[in-house]
Amino acid sequence: EAINLNPLLRIVDGLPVIEFGWWSLPRPTKGKAFNSRLESLLGTWRDPFQQRALLPATWYDEGRKRWRLSDESAFEIAAITAPIEVDGVQYLGYSMVTRPGLGEASTVLSARGESRMPLVLPPELHHRWLDPEQPGDSGLVKQVRNGSEELSYAMTTDAVTLF
């Protein structure tokens, strides 16, 4: 299996740290998950929802297009984490949190006919998402869902197909 490590921002012992995380978490049922639905954090992903991180980004790929903010500024994507083992090596595993697509991103439909996009958090929610004292609960889900809307609508893409 190829090395699949990406930078994550987390709070460790009260301090912000950048660590590398393996992009995948084992599903509670079967298989692996690269992404986890915001709507499933309180059920399927209850334990990893208590350990959160942010993925720094300037773009993401979806629907064979590259999505970004129009000013090309950096943004942070919500992630959940858990320790995992890959080929006998311990890693910090993560799954990117997704939400229903908004704005232009709502035009990209999966094979299931639904639109999803990363949960992009505004700076004013970073501390709350990362705070290990903040329980992953319905209040946090509601706050990040509502708080992510402006940035979600601001995502745009060039008309260029990536592949």
Side-chain angles (χ1 to χ4, degrees):
E1 205 167 333
I3 297 294
N4 180 16
L5 296 172
N6 299 287
L8 295 169
L9 174 63
R10 296 191 330 138
I11 301 293
V12 176
D13 296 328
L15 298 172
V17 296
I18 299 284
E19 296 180 280
F20 285 99
W22 190 278
W23 188 20
S24 144
L25 286 180
R27 288 184 189 278
T29 52
K30 178 180 167 187
K32 297 177 184 177
F34 295 100
N35 301 328
S36 50
R37 294 168 175 265
L38 177 63
E39 310 86 271
S40 300
L41 293 180
L42 294 172
T44 305
W45 299 107
R46 182 76 187 138
D47 290 340
F49 184 30
Q50 305 313 309
Q51 301 174 63
R52 297 172 296 273
L54 292 170
L55 297 161
T58 55
W59 53 268
Y60 70 90
D61 290 342
E62 188 66 44
R64 298 171 50 185
K65 295 179 182 176
R66 181 152 292 167
W67 296 84
R68 60 182 170 70
L69 293 171
S70 60
D71 66 0
E72 299 189 26
S73 62
F75 53 88
E76 282 68 36
I77 299 169
I80 56 175
T81 67
I84 63 168
E85 185 175 311
V86 178
D87 297 331
V89 179
Q90 292 288 334
Y91 292 99
L92 174 65
Y94 77 92
S95 177
M96 182 172 57
V97 179
T98 65
R99 61 160 299 135
L102 295 175
E104 278 185 70
S106 68
T107 64
V108 177
L109 300 179
S110 70
R112 291 192 245 173
E114 61 184 0
S115 175
R116 305 292 302 175
M117 68 186 299
L119 179 66
V120 179
L121 296 181
E124 59 270 16
L125 285 177
H126 292 176
H127 178 75
R128 177 127 188 214
W129 182 259
L130 292 174
D131 184 358
E133 299 298 316
Q134 167 62 54
D137 59 16
S138 60
L140 184 57
V141 167
K142 182 178 179 181
Q143 187 174 29
V144 297
R145 181 183 58 239
N146 294 341
S148 70
E149 287 188 3
E150 185 176 341
L151 282 175
S152 296
Y153 278 111
M155 289 293 165
T156 189
T157 185
D158 298 323
V160 177
T161 301
L162 293 176
F163 41 90

